[in-house]
Amino acid sequence: MIIDKQTIHKVADLARIAVKEEEIDALIPDMNKILTFMEKLNELDTKGVEPLVYMNAEENVWREDEVKQEISVADGLKNSALHNEAFFLVPKIIEK
């Protein structure tokens, strides 16, 4: 497949990006190089190759979800600018 100006405009439209007319001449050879590389990858024999989901075979080690009181409410609030006895006070950002 050869990339031309029409293809650049179509891809830009599908991607919802603005491409200036003077940028198109620089994009055509770059996109053609990418497609040439992808065609080379399609020539590889991938029979027997498992699909890669993760980069390594390690499995995540989960821990139990335990509720702990790490710091007190007073310690958590002592460095805040505005607070009452139990909560941070922040400016209202949602209007009705």
Side-chain angles (χ1 to χ4, degrees):
M1 176 178 187
I2 301 295
I3 301 290
D4 57 0
K5 287 185 178 188
Q6 286 180 321
T7 309
I8 296 286
H9 284 296
K10 183 176 180 178
V11 170
D13 185 51
L14 290 172
R16 304 277 193 252
I17 57 174
V19 177
K20 297 177 185 171
E21 199 64 36
E22 57 269 8
E23 295 173 336
I24 291 177
D25 291 332
L27 287 174
I28 290 174
D30 290 341
M31 291 186 76
N32 279 325
K33 285 180 189 176
I34 292 169
L35 286 179
T36 303
F37 178 71
M38 295 306 293
E39 288 170 359
K40 285 284 187 196
L41 288 178
N42 286 335
E43 295 173 5
L44 291 175
D45 180 24
T46 56
K47 292 179 182 156
V49 176
E50 293 287 323
L52 182 65
V53 178
Y54 298 106
M55 292 305 291
N56 58 15
E58 301 293 324
E59 291 192 26
N60 197 0
V61 179
W62 298 98
R63 62 173 173 78
E64 288 295 320
D65 192 15
E66 300 171 7
V67 177
K68 297 180 184 177
Q69 187 67 30
E70 297 290 329
I71 61 171
S72 68
V73 174
D75 286 340
L77 293 173
K78 72 180 178 184
N79 289 326
S80 69
L82 293 172
H83 61 85
N84 62 13
E85 28 313 306
F87 301 102
F88 295 105
L89 299 175
V90 296
K92 180 179 176 181
I93 58 170
I94 300 175
E95 298 178 12
K96 291 184 181 185

